[in-house]
Amino acid sequence: MTKASYHEPVLVEEALGFWVTDPAGRYLDGTVGGGGHAEALLSRFPRAELIGLDRDPDALAEAARRLGPHGGRVHLARADFADMEEILTGLGGSPVVGILLDVGVSSHQLDDPLRGFSYLAAGPLRMTLDREAPQGAEEFLAAVNEEELSRVLRELGELPAARRAARAVIAARNGGKLRSTEDLRHALGQGGVKSPRRLSQAFQALRMAVNDELGSLGAGLDAAARVLPAGGTLTVISFESLMDRKVKQAFRPPRLSRPHPGLPDPEPRWRLLARRAVRPGPEETTRNPRSRSARLRAAARTSHA
């Protein structure tokens, strides 16, 4: 396996520009994946220390191989970034001064038919970011009702006519015809979901529901605000518009739901480091077409208030 074969990281230079503020600082990569961003940091800054988290044992194995030459400057742990406080407390030592989250599914996971993430390949109904998770899409679809599935497809996949698609999937399940990604694609087609774009949205919605990705992102953003010192940076790369909107919302200053004359406005948690989402340039999107949907947002912690 070559270094580039596991997963090609996106927006590497842009991420480093926001993520790294101290050449000798301690940094957290909450979605270390194959170690691409982490390796760039460690190679560029030989006195920096990195803590890498990931849900997927496959990703951690690749990160360990790739980052091995950096020795004791690397600490890897199998964990959801939502649990970063517990991990950092267990490790002890100085606080992290920068956090990077690259949320979503990696190219390696997407291209492995046994993971079941893509409608393009025949595979089991899994869709778990953690390969060893006990329950995946098959169990989710076996238990969900039509109303809830419709909500998932509508809210997480932003899928038009979600109710019709949900009805078709439930019918296939009840008829014993929902055992693989091919079966799911056929059922969605019966519900009017046939174009590559809409199929991708439907599979995305199920993946996000199975892994509670929005819940994890929200918890991770809150945890980052608690563990970062004033001036510490949080950099988030996302590929789905729903995820990007959640990050954008988290970085906004708080607003009082009801005005209270005479009281100061709440102090914002974050100071934006980029006014708009940073997107890959034409050179990167030509080299790596999957980078086209990437959006990077970055902010600095204002205080612990």
Side-chain angles (χ1 to χ4, degrees), residues 19-29 41-42 45 47-52 72-76 84-85 87-100 227-229 232-233:
W19 189 20
V20 181
T21 56
D22 177 358
R26 195 182 206 195
Y27 295 91
L28 174 71
D29 187 339
L41 182 149
L42 292 164
F45 303 97
R47 293 186 295 151
E49 181 183 356
L50 182 113
I51 300 163
R73 294 196 291 138
V74 179
H75 309 276
L76 300 177
M84 65 175 74
E85 285 176 284
I87 299 298
L88 293 173
T89 299
L91 285 172
S94 58
V96 296
V97 295
I99 296 172
L100 174 68
V227 304
L228 282 171
T233 62

Side-chain angles (χ1 to χ4, degrees), residues 8-305:
E8 182 172 355
V10 303
L11 293 165
V12 173
E13 291 301 318
E14 295 85 348
L16 288 177
F18 294 114
W19 189 20
V20 181
T21 56
D22 177 358
R26 195 182 206 195
Y27 295 91
L28 174 71
D29 187 339
T31 44
V32 71
H37 290 102
E39 183 180 48
L41 182 149
L42 292 164
S43 298
R44 189 82 54 88
F45 303 97
R47 293 186 295 151
E49 181 183 356
L50 182 113
I51 300 163
L53 311 180
D54 208 287
R55 298 193 201 186
D56 190 348
D58 286 1
L60 286 173
E62 171 61 13
R65 183 201 67 78
R66 187 169 185 173
L67 304 178
H70 300 285
R73 294 196 291 138
V74 179
H75 309 276
L76 300 177
R78 182 179 173 187
D80 188 329
F81 57 71
D83 300 321
M84 65 175 74
E85 285 176 284
E86 179 183 349
I87 299 298
L88 293 173
T89 299
L91 285 172
S94 58
V96 296
V97 295
I99 296 172
L100 174 68
L101 305 178
D102 183 357
V103 297
V105 63
S106 73
S107 295
H108 178 78
Q109 292 167 327
L110 190 64
D111 292 338
D112 183 353
L114 295 179
R115 304 300 292 265
F117 285 116
S118 175
Y119 69 88
L120 293 171
L125 285 172
R126 285 292 295 158
M127 301 189 186
T128 58
L129 295 177
D130 177 353
R131 181 189 282 279
E132 298 176 3
Q135 294 191 328
E138 182 176 1
E139 291 77 14
F140 175 82
L141 290 169
V144 73
N145 60 39
E146 183 180 314
E147 181 178 356
E148 174 64 11
L149 182 56
S150 176
R151 184 197 66 79
V152 165
L153 294 174
R154 183 179 63 255
E155 294 182 5
L156 300 186
E158 300 177 296
L159 194 70
R163 174 70 71 177
R164 180 185 171 193
R167 188 177 302 120
V169 171
I170 295 298
R173 178 198 71 188
N174 293 343
K177 299 178 180 179
L178 196 62
R179 301 182 180 279
S180 68
T181 54
E182 285 184 309
D183 292 340
L184 178 58
R185 176 175 179 171
H186 178 74
L188 288 166
Q190 294 295 107
V193 181
K194 299 180 179 181
S195 72
R197 178 187 175 190
R198 299 306 186 198
L199 285 166
S200 180
Q201 287 174 283
F203 271 66
Q204 167 195 306
L206 290 170
R207 186 204 84 217
M208 291 175 69
V210 165
N211 296 283
D212 188 25
E213 291 181 49
L214 275 183
S216 178
L217 178 59
L221 294 171
D222 286 341
R226 291 191 293 268
V227 304
L228 282 171
T233 62
L234 174 59
T235 304
V236 186
I237 301 171
S238 53
F239 292 81
E240 287 90 14
S241 58
L242 201 61
M243 296 285 210
D244 180 57
R245 286 199 297 271
K246 193 169 185 70
V247 176
K248 182 180 179 180
Q249 184 178 39
F251 283 167
R252 284 175 179 162
R255 299 179 185 275
L256 292 172
S257 57
R258 296 179 181 177
H260 294 274
L263 291 179
D265 289 336
E267 184 178 356
R269 279 181 162 186
W270 302 103
R271 173 176 55 85
L272 292 179
L273 298 177
R275 294 187 62 185
R276 297 181 177 83
V278 177
R279 303 176 64 172
E283 182 179 339
E284 180 166 8
T285 56
T286 299
R287 184 182 71 252
N288 178 15
R290 283 179 173 169
S291 71
R292 285 193 299 263
S293 59
R295 305 288 185 273
L296 181 153
R297 297 188 186 272
R301 187 72 170 97
T302 55
S303 72
H304 277 292

